[in-house]
Amino acid sequence: MKAVVFRGVGDIRLEDVAEPRIQKPSDAIVRITASAICGTDLHMIRGTMTGMKPGTILGHEAVGIVEELGKDVRNLKKGDRVVVPSTIACGYCSYCRAGYHSQCDHANPNGPTSGAAFFGGPKDSGPFDGLQAEYARVPFANVGLVKLPDNVDDDRAILLSDIFPTGWFGAKLAEVRNGDTVAVFGCGPVGQFAIASAKLLGAGRVFAIDRVPSRLDMAREQGAETIDFEGEDPIETLLRLTGGIGVDRAIDAVGVDAVAPHKGPAAKEAKKQKAQFEQEVKAVAPKQKPDGDLWVPGDAPSQVVEWAVKGLAKAGTLSIIGVYPESGRFFPLGAAMGKNLTVKMGDCNHRAYLPHLVDLVATGVFDPATVLTQVEPLTDVIEAYKAFDRREAGWVKVKLEPGREERKAA
């Protein structure tokens, strides 16, 4: 089968690999009808998430059809159409029962203190082969597969695999309540869903901070008040537009690949921090392999958390859902403590939220399809990765379709 394979930092390939097989009674084999490219995949290729095992299939988002079931999967049948949660969970340990599926005691073969197990990740997360392929093995399939209603098509379902739950998780961590003023840093796919989720949870105002015009346009279409951090100082603007108070809740939807402003009023302060940022990049990405303007790590890993702390009102809440590796040991602790901030963060517990979010989409309460901007055949995946990595205009979320070329030819 065809699959996207990680060969090293700055090196991914579309290869022919062996099809997966049932290994345990709780497994299922799924024929993938839709996968997607995520910013987390870019962390691995850029080198800001280390420990990837060469030969690992990438990708942690998928929709598909059940092809084969282990004997202990008793709630599904062959032919069921399903969405795959990005994180893997057993469903029976105390953490899963409490809704902390990303902290499952049994899913990660490295042991219960090893953190989240997810598809297509580094050795510390399993490793498990990912979902940018024609077929995938899904462990704990009775929990790790969620059946889809007929009226939720693949274009919508693929957004339920990871980014809608993660955006929802971010808004829940931020404790968004009716009337709150919320700042979302980063208007990529997860940021767009954090904006939508904050509004669904009753936010009165949502500010969206980014520098990519097409992403800011999408945020504005959702009703967010947009701030281009290379056109104005984002903190000065947040404070001015909130009467000097700041926002009640802030969501970091960027993570370690944050970039500093290279022009505009905020660039002067960023220039003063250049040496600090360079040290941070060395710590989080000790091995890099840029190819021209491709696969370049963000040049200011702590920029967003610093802005978020500055932009929050006293006693506000900071939610961190952007990815940071263990080597990222930077945080404006004193400033956060001085403002009595609440800080929450973590890997999304996808399975805990998926049934509710599927219902929101199926009943028409929310349509996630507006965030999907590209649909590409799996055979064009490398070029799609390059466009997504460069943040080319209009490239917000990319759906991949295995077998699309064959269907077109037929």
Side-chain angles (χ1 to χ4, degrees):
M1 69 173 184
K2 297 289 186 184
V4 183
V5 179
F6 177 91
R7 287 297 173 191
V9 174
D11 184 3
I12 58 170
R13 308 175 193 176
L14 182 66
E15 298 183 0
D16 288 307
V17 301
E19 292 184 9
R21 296 286 183 264
I22 294 286
Q23 297 180 18
K24 296 182 178 181
S26 58
D27 287 350
I29 302 300
V30 174
R31 176 171 59 84
I32 306 298
T33 57
S35 186
I37 298 174
C38 180
T40 302
D41 302 321
L42 295 180
H43 292 319
M44 301 163 196
I45 304 167
R46 292 169 179 165
T48 48
M49 183 179 286
T50 59
M52 283 294 291
K53 179 181 176 182
T56 301
I57 297 172
L58 285 174
H60 53 266
E61 300 170 271
V63 177
I65 308 295
V66 174
E67 291 284 312
E68 188 179 352
L69 293 167
K71 68 178 183 179
D72 286 348
V73 185
R74 300 164 184 246
N75 57 340
L76 297 166
K77 65 181 185 301
K78 183 176 179 180
D80 280 345
R81 185 165 160 270
V82 292
V83 59
V84 186
S86 297
T87 42
I88 302 166
C90 72
Y92 54 79
C93 72
S94 61
Y95 288 98
C96 287
R97 293 184 186 198
Y100 287 99
H101 293 79
S102 68
Q103 296 302 317
C104 175
D105 273 341
H106 300 116
N108 193 324
N110 296 301
T113 62
S114 300
F118 64 96
F119 294 99
K123 60 184 180 182
D124 289 346
S125 69
F128 292 89
D129 274 326
L131 307 177
Q132 290 171 3
E134 293 181 293
Y135 293 88
R137 179 180 76 91
V138 178
F140 304 105
N142 59 306
V143 174
L145 295 174
V146 177
K147 288 179 67 173
L148 289 164
D150 292 339
N151 65 335
V152 178
D153 62 14
D154 278 11
D155 282 359
R156 289 162 178 81
I158 191 59
L159 304 171
L160 288 159
S161 181
D162 177 24
I163 58 173
F164 191 2
T166 301
W168 183 266
F169 177 61
K172 296 289 282 186
L173 285 182
E175 303 174 343
V176 175
R177 297 190 293 263
N178 286 340
D180 279 348
T181 296
V182 181
V184 176
F185 289 87
C187 295
V190 170
Q192 297 294 337
F193 279 102
I195 293 167
S197 298
K199 294 175 73 65
L200 286 166
L201 290 171
R205 299 174 74 187
V206 179
F207 291 97
I209 300 94
D210 205 300
R211 66 170 183 171
V212 180
S214 58
R215 295 183 173 192
L216 289 167
D217 288 344
M218 182 176 285
R220 193 179 299 110
E221 287 296 315
Q222 292 202 68
E225 301 175 55
T226 57
I227 298 173
D228 179 349
F229 68 77
E230 289 195 326
E232 53 190 333
D233 185 299
I235 305 309
E236 288 182 2
T237 302
L238 277 177
L239 293 175
R240 176 169 54 83
L241 295 177
T242 58
I245 297 170
V247 297
D248 304 302
R249 322 289 172 198
I251 300 172
D252 171 1
V254 180
V256 68
D257 273 316
V259 295
H262 293 172
K263 59 184 179 181
K268 184 177 180 181
E269 181 61 29
K271 189 174 182 180
K272 294 178 184 178
Q273 297 176 275
K274 185 177 179 181
Q276 170 199 329
F277 290 150
E278 287 176 347
Q279 289 300 313
E280 292 171 358
V281 173
K282 288 180 182 178
V284 300
K287 181 180 180 181
Q288 305 171 31
K289 193 178 178 182
D291 180 8
D293 62 349
L294 287 170
W295 325 132
V296 180
D299 62 6
S302 65
Q303 181 68 89
V304 167
V305 289
E306 179 184 313
W307 277 343
V309 167
K310 288 181 177 178
L312 274 162
K314 293 181 291 185
T317 304
L318 170 59
S319 164
I320 303 174
I321 52 174
V323 173
Y324 289 91
E326 288 190 14
S327 56
R329 299 177 181 178
F330 36 82
F331 185 81
L333 185 61
M337 185 175 185
K339 296 174 82 170
N340 281 50
L341 300 184
T342 297
V343 182
K344 295 186 175 184
M345 66 192 82
D347 294 307
C348 179
N349 306 300
H350 297 86
R351 185 57 177 80
Y353 304 118
L354 257 173
H356 175 61
L357 300 182
V358 169
D359 283 346
L360 289 184
V361 175
T363 57
V365 173
F366 178 70
D367 184 1
T370 55
V371 175
L372 183 64
T373 53
Q374 270 77 30
V375 178
E376 301 290 334
L378 185 64
T379 49
D380 289 350
V381 64
I382 304 302
E383 290 306 312
Y385 256 106
K386 291 176 180 179
F388 186 63
D389 178 71
R390 293 190 187 104
R391 301 178 180 88
E392 290 185 5
W395 285 73
V396 176
K397 187 61 179 177
V398 186
K399 172 189 172 190
L400 302 172
E401 292 187 339
R404 180 178 169 192
E405 287 294 329
E406 288 82 355
R407 291 196 300 273
K408 286 172 65 177

